[in-house]
Amino acid sequence: MLERDSPAHAAVGISAMRTVFSLAWVAGPAIGALMLDLGGFRLVYTLAAAMYALAALVAFLRLEDVAVAPPDAERTAAAQHATRRPTLLLTALAFVLLQVPLTLGVQALPLFIAQDLHRNASNAGLILGLCAALEIPLMLGLGVLTTRFRLRTLILTGAACGVAYYAIALVTPGLGVLAAAQVVNALFISAVSAVGISYMQDMIPGEPGRATTLFTNTFPIGAVLAGPLFGVAAQLGYRSAYAIGTVLCAAGLVLLIAVRPAAPGGAARPVPPPPA
């Protein structure tokens, strides 16, 4: 709808929509714990089913059928090189490399806190909640920045933040440093998860479904790859999970730098001036 009605604000809209996921990470565990105390697991799953039913009802009754607006000839011509399969696949591979540490880091966090930092594993919930809370304003802020800076610049900055966060986690002496580093982690997640969708969509304009699916699939692929790497970390020590994350983020950053699309996705989406 934004691509049709207000193309300059499409990336802002995607970032705002992505904040719903982060908001759920902040509120969901607390609501789940409350429902568990009030009625046990039966109430938790009943409430979850009711939420899905309500979402389906809203989609059926209220969501309009939006036709994809055809891209203008200039954007399509500029994107011809970027739509080549090797460019798309290498970009998707870079995002997979950046997504693996997201799952691996969450899996290892409670055990890392308990065994390496010698603190209560329940602190992992506080760390994850803090990161999710920070993501909300950062995603909205990055969405606004997409109208002023190149999407590619924001993506590369986010990937660099990923390298920095996992390097900090690798050498952190205590929980305080890890908590402070969640600002960098939230910047990484916000850039990759929110701006990444717009980046892929601008690489193949006129095919938002294909671009979104291509990007979205990088997360479950990364989660699958994180499983055996978590097993490796269990053998080497859970701090090694963050060494692996540092290497993967660095590899993803290098690959994104090497693969330079010729599409307009590298450019900012300027906001048109208000009418006189």
Side-chain angles (χ1 to χ4, degrees):
M1 292 178 67
L2 284 168
E3 192 66 41
R4 179 194 65 187
D5 300 334
S6 181
H9 294 88
V12 181
I14 290 174
S15 294
M17 184 179 66
R18 179 56 180 76
T19 62
V20 175
F21 183 79
S22 298
L23 182 61
W25 266 93
V26 176
I31 295 173
L34 178 61
M35 294 301 103
L36 192 62
D37 287 340
L38 293 177
F41 286 106
R42 188 178 299 277
L43 179 59
V44 172
Y45 285 106
T46 299
L47 181 61
M51 289 180 176
Y52 279 118
L54 180 60
L57 185 64
V58 170
F60 180 74
L61 296 177
R62 301 297 300 173
L63 295 190
E64 61 178 282
D65 189 10
V66 181
V68 177
D72 59 66
E74 183 179 351
R75 287 187 69 198
T76 302
Q80 284 181 351
H81 174 71
T83 54
R84 292 176 181 172
R85 186 179 297 271
T87 302
L88 287 173
L89 292 181
L90 287 174
T91 301
L93 175 60
F95 280 117
V96 168
L97 293 172
L98 295 172
Q99 299 276 20
V100 174
L102 294 180
T103 300
L104 180 60
V106 171
Q107 289 176 332
L109 185 61
L111 293 166
F112 172 61
I113 290 175
Q115 296 191 15
D116 291 82
L117 302 184
H118 308 293
R119 300 292 294 272
N120 195 310
S122 63
N123 286 299
L126 299 176
I127 295 293
L128 294 173
L130 173 62
C131 181
L134 291 169
E135 288 171 23
I136 297 172
L138 289 174
M139 283 186 184
L140 294 174
L142 284 171
V144 174
L145 289 178
T146 60
T147 65
R148 298 287 180 254
F149 296 92
R150 293 163 55 91
L151 297 181
R152 178 175 172 82
T153 300
L154 297 176
I155 287 291
L156 294 179
T157 301
C161 286
V163 178
Y165 168 70
Y166 285 96
I168 293 171
L170 173 62
V171 299
T172 182
L175 199 62
V177 174
L178 190 63
Q182 294 312 303
V183 177
V184 184
N185 190 25
L187 276 168
F188 166 53
I189 296 172
S190 299
V192 172
S193 300
V195 183
I197 298 175
S198 300
Y199 186 72
M200 292 293 290
Q201 286 179 343
D202 276 13
M203 288 179 67
I204 41 180
E207 300 182 69
R210 178 188 174 200
T212 304
T213 301
L214 185 62
F215 174 83
T216 304
N217 281 339
T218 63
F219 180 77
I221 293 173
V224 169
L225 296 175
L229 291 176
F230 181 62
V232 172
Q235 297 298 317
L236 300 179
Y238 293 105
R239 192 178 290 270
S240 67
Y242 298 95
I244 295 172
T246 303
V247 172
L248 290 176
C249 285
L253 174 60
V254 169
L255 189 55
L256 282 174
I257 292 173
V259 180
R260 179 180 291 275
R269 300 186 179 196
V271 177

Short mmCIF file of all heavy atoms in Angstrom, two decimals, residues 49-73:
data_model
loop_
_atom_site.label_atom_id
_atom_site.label_comp_id
_atom_site.label_asym_id
_atom_site.label_seq_id
_atom_site.Cartn_x
_atom_site.Cartn_y
_atom_site.Cartn_z
N ALA A 49 -4.61 -19.18 20.46
CA ALA A 49 -5.53 -19.54 19.39
C ALA A 49 -6.54 -18.42 19.12
O ALA A 49 -6.88 -18.13 17.97
CB ALA A 49 -6.27 -20.84 19.76
N ALA A 50 -7.01 -17.77 20.19
CA ALA A 50 -7.96 -16.68 20.03
C ALA A 50 -7.33 -15.51 19.28
O ALA A 50 -7.98 -14.85 18.47
CB ALA A 50 -8.46 -16.23 21.40
N MET A 51 -6.04 -15.24 19.55
CA MET A 51 -5.36 -14.16 18.86
C MET A 51 -5.23 -14.45 17.37
O MET A 51 -5.44 -13.57 16.52
CB MET A 51 -3.97 -13.94 19.46
CG MET A 51 -3.99 -13.32 20.85
SD MET A 51 -2.31 -13.10 21.51
CE MET A 51 -2.68 -12.26 23.05
N TYR A 52 -4.91 -15.69 17.03
CA TYR A 52 -4.84 -16.06 15.61
C TYR A 52 -6.20 -15.93 14.95
O TYR A 52 -6.33 -15.47 13.80
CB TYR A 52 -4.32 -17.49 15.46
CG TYR A 52 -2.81 -17.61 15.54
CD1 TYR A 52 -2.21 -18.35 16.55
CD2 TYR A 52 -1.99 -16.98 14.61
CE1 TYR A 52 -0.83 -18.47 16.63
CE2 TYR A 52 -0.62 -17.10 14.67
CZ TYR A 52 -0.04 -17.84 15.69
OH TYR A 52 1.32 -17.95 15.76
N ALA A 53 -7.25 -16.36 15.63
CA ALA A 53 -8.60 -16.26 15.08
C ALA A 53 -8.99 -14.80 14.85
O ALA A 53 -9.58 -14.45 13.82
CB ALA A 53 -9.60 -16.95 16.01
N LEU A 54 -8.65 -13.94 15.80
CA LEU A 54 -8.96 -12.52 15.67
C LEU A 54 -8.20 -11.91 14.50
O LEU A 54 -8.75 -11.11 13.72
CB LEU A 54 -8.63 -11.79 16.97
CG LEU A 54 -8.89 -10.28 16.99
CD1 LEU A 54 -10.37 -10.00 16.74
CD2 LEU A 54 -8.44 -9.67 18.31
N ALA A 55 -6.93 -12.27 14.36
CA ALA A 55 -6.13 -11.76 13.24
C ALA A 55 -6.72 -12.20 11.91
O ALA A 55 -6.79 -11.42 10.95
CB ALA A 55 -4.68 -12.24 13.37
N ALA A 56 -7.16 -13.46 11.82
CA ALA A 56 -7.77 -13.96 10.59
C ALA A 56 -9.06 -13.22 10.29
O ALA A 56 -9.37 -12.90 9.12
CB ALA A 56 -8.04 -15.46 10.71
N LEU A 57 -9.84 -12.92 11.32
CA LEU A 57 -11.10 -12.19 11.14
C LEU A 57 -10.85 -10.78 10.62
O LEU A 57 -11.53 -10.31 9.70
CB LEU A 57 -11.86 -12.15 12.46
CG LEU A 57 -13.27 -11.53 12.41
CD1 LEU A 57 -14.19 -12.37 11.53
CD2 LEU A 57 -13.85 -11.42 13.82
N VAL A 58 -9.85 -10.10 11.20
CA VAL A 58 -9.51 -8.75 10.74
C VAL A 58 -9.04 -8.79 9.29
O VAL A 58 -9.43 -7.95 8.47
CB VAL A 58 -8.42 -8.14 11.65
CG1 VAL A 58 -7.89 -6.84 11.05
CG2 VAL A 58 -8.98 -7.88 13.04
N ALA A 59 -8.20 -9.78 8.95
CA ALA A 59 -7.71 -9.90 7.58
C ALA A 59 -8.86 -10.13 6.60
O ALA A 59 -8.89 -9.56 5.51
CB ALA A 59 -6.70 -11.04 7.49
N PHE A 60 -9.82 -10.94 7.00
CA PHE A 60 -10.95 -11.28 6.12
C PHE A 60 -11.89 -10.10 5.93
O PHE A 60 -12.37 -9.84 4.82
CB PHE A 60 -11.71 -12.47 6.70
CG PHE A 60 -12.89 -12.89 5.87
CD1 PHE A 60 -12.73 -13.56 4.66
CD2 PHE A 60 -14.19 -12.59 6.29
CE1 PHE A 60 -13.82 -13.92 3.89
CE2 PHE A 60 -15.28 -12.96 5.53
CZ PHE A 60 -15.10 -13.62 4.32
N LEU A 61 -12.14 -9.35 7.00
CA LEU A 61 -13.14 -8.30 6.95
C LEU A 61 -12.59 -6.93 6.57
O LEU A 61 -13.30 -6.13 5.94
CB LEU A 61 -13.84 -8.19 8.32
CG LEU A 61 -14.66 -9.40 8.77
CD1 LEU A 61 -15.23 -9.16 10.16
CD2 LEU A 61 -15.78 -9.71 7.77
N ARG A 62 -11.35 -6.64 6.93
CA ARG A 62 -10.87 -5.28 6.83
C ARG A 62 -9.74 -5.04 5.83
O ARG A 62 -9.59 -3.93 5.34
CB ARG A 62 -10.40 -4.79 8.21
CG ARG A 62 -11.46 -4.83 9.30
CD ARG A 62 -12.63 -3.92 8.99
NE ARG A 62 -12.21 -2.52 8.87
CZ ARG A 62 -13.00 -1.54 8.46
NH1 ARG A 62 -14.24 -1.79 8.11
NH2 ARG A 62 -12.54 -0.30 8.39
N LEU A 63 -8.93 -6.06 5.56
CA LEU A 63 -7.79 -5.81 4.67
C LEU A 63 -8.23 -5.74 3.23
O LEU A 63 -8.94 -6.63 2.75
CB LEU A 63 -6.72 -6.89 4.85
CG LEU A 63 -6.02 -6.97 6.21
CD1 LEU A 63 -4.84 -7.92 6.15
CD2 LEU A 63 -5.57 -5.60 6.70
N GLU A 64 -7.79 -4.69 2.54
CA GLU A 64 -8.16 -4.54 1.14
C GLU A 64 -7.20 -5.32 0.25
O GLU A 64 -6.06 -5.59 0.62
CB GLU A 64 -8.16 -3.07 0.75
CG GLU A 64 -6.81 -2.39 0.88
CD GLU A 64 -6.86 -0.95 0.44
OE1 GLU A 64 -6.84 -0.72 -0.80
OE2 GLU A 64 -6.91 -0.06 1.30
N ASP A 65 -7.68 -5.67 -0.91
CA ASP A 65 -6.86 -6.37 -1.88
C ASP A 65 -6.08 -5.33 -2.67
O ASP A 65 -6.66 -4.52 -3.40
CB ASP A 65 -7.76 -7.19 -2.83
CG ASP A 65 -6.96 -8.10 -3.73
OD1 ASP A 65 -5.74 -8.25 -3.50
OD2 ASP A 65 -7.55 -8.67 -4.67
N VAL A 66 -4.77 -5.32 -2.49
CA VAL A 66 -3.93 -4.28 -3.07
C VAL A 66 -3.19 -4.83 -4.27
O VAL A 66 -2.45 -5.82 -4.16
CB VAL A 66 -2.92 -3.74 -2.04
CG1 VAL A 66 -2.08 -2.63 -2.65
CG2 VAL A 66 -3.65 -3.23 -0.81
N ALA A 67 -3.40 -4.21 -5.41
CA ALA A 67 -2.66 -4.59 -6.61
C ALA A 67 -1.28 -3.95 -6.56
O ALA A 67 -1.14 -2.80 -6.13
CB ALA A 67 -3.40 -4.15 -7.86
N VAL A 68 -0.27 -4.68 -6.99
CA VAL A 68 1.09 -4.15 -6.99
C VAL A 68 1.23 -3.12 -8.09
O VAL A 68 0.90 -3.38 -9.25
CB VAL A 68 2.11 -5.29 -7.20
CG1 VAL A 68 3.52 -4.71 -7.27
CG2 VAL A 68 2.00 -6.29 -6.07
N ALA A 69 1.67 -1.94 -7.73
CA ALA A 69 1.86 -0.88 -8.71
C ALA A 69 3.07 -1.20 -9.58
O ALA A 69 4.13 -1.55 -9.06
CB ALA A 69 2.07 0.46 -8.01
N PRO A 70 2.94 -1.10 -10.92
CA PRO A 70 4.09 -1.39 -11.78
C PRO A 70 5.19 -0.36 -11.58
O PRO A 70 4.90 0.84 -11.42
CB PRO A 70 3.50 -1.29 -13.19
CG PRO A 70 2.30 -0.41 -13.05
CD PRO A 70 1.76 -0.68 -11.68
N PRO A 71 6.45 -0.78 -11.54
CA PRO A 71 7.55 0.16 -11.35
C PRO A 71 7.73 1.04 -12.57
O PRO A 71 7.39 0.65 -13.69
CB PRO A 71 8.75 -0.75 -11.13
CG PRO A 71 8.40 -1.99 -11.88
CD PRO A 71 6.91 -2.17 -11.73
N ASP A 72 8.25 2.24 -12.37
CA ASP A 72 8.48 3.10 -13.52
C ASP A 72 9.67 2.57 -14.32
O ASP A 72 10.49 1.81 -13.84
CB ASP A 72 8.72 4.56 -13.07
CG ASP A 72 9.90 4.68 -12.14
OD1 ASP A 72 11.04 4.44 -12.59
OD2 ASP A 72 9.70 5.02 -10.95
N ALA A 73 9.72 3.01 -15.56
CA ALA A 73 10.70 2.45 -16.49
C ALA A 73 12.13 2.72 -16.04
O ALA A 73 13.02 1.88 -16.22
CB ALA A 73 10.46 3.03 -17.89
#
